Amino acid sequence: MTSDDTKTVLDEANARAVALMLDKLEDHDVTVIYEAVGGIGPIADIAADAMKNRNIDL
């Protein structure tokens, strides 16, 4: 779990890699990733975008 003071930065290549990996996962697994990072940070943002694009509810 992350804390509010944790700062994670992804460069464009790594952000694309995360997006590609999320694209390969089942809908449920995308929500698991989002929840695993506490809904905070760039990975959560990418997961939220994937959830929005795929119409996945938590």
Side-chain angles (χ1 to χ4, degrees):
M1 201 161 234
T2 61
S3 65
D4 290 336
D5 62 343
T6 301
K7 299 289 182 206
T8 304
V9 178
L10 294 178
D11 61 22
E12 188 173 331
N14 285 313
R16 290 180 117 179
V18 170
L20 286 171
M21 287 186 277
L22 289 173
D23 191 44
K24 302 288 184 188
L25 296 176
E26 297 293 325
D27 291 354
H28 170 75
D29 297 327
V30 175
T31 62
V32 169
I33 296 298
Y34 179 82
E35 291 173 343
V37 295
I40 300 170
I43 293 173
D45 294 342
I46 296 167
D49 286 341
M51 291 166 51
K52 180 180 175 187
N53 293 337
R54 293 164 60 173
N55 199 25
I56 303 170
D57 292 325
L58 276 176

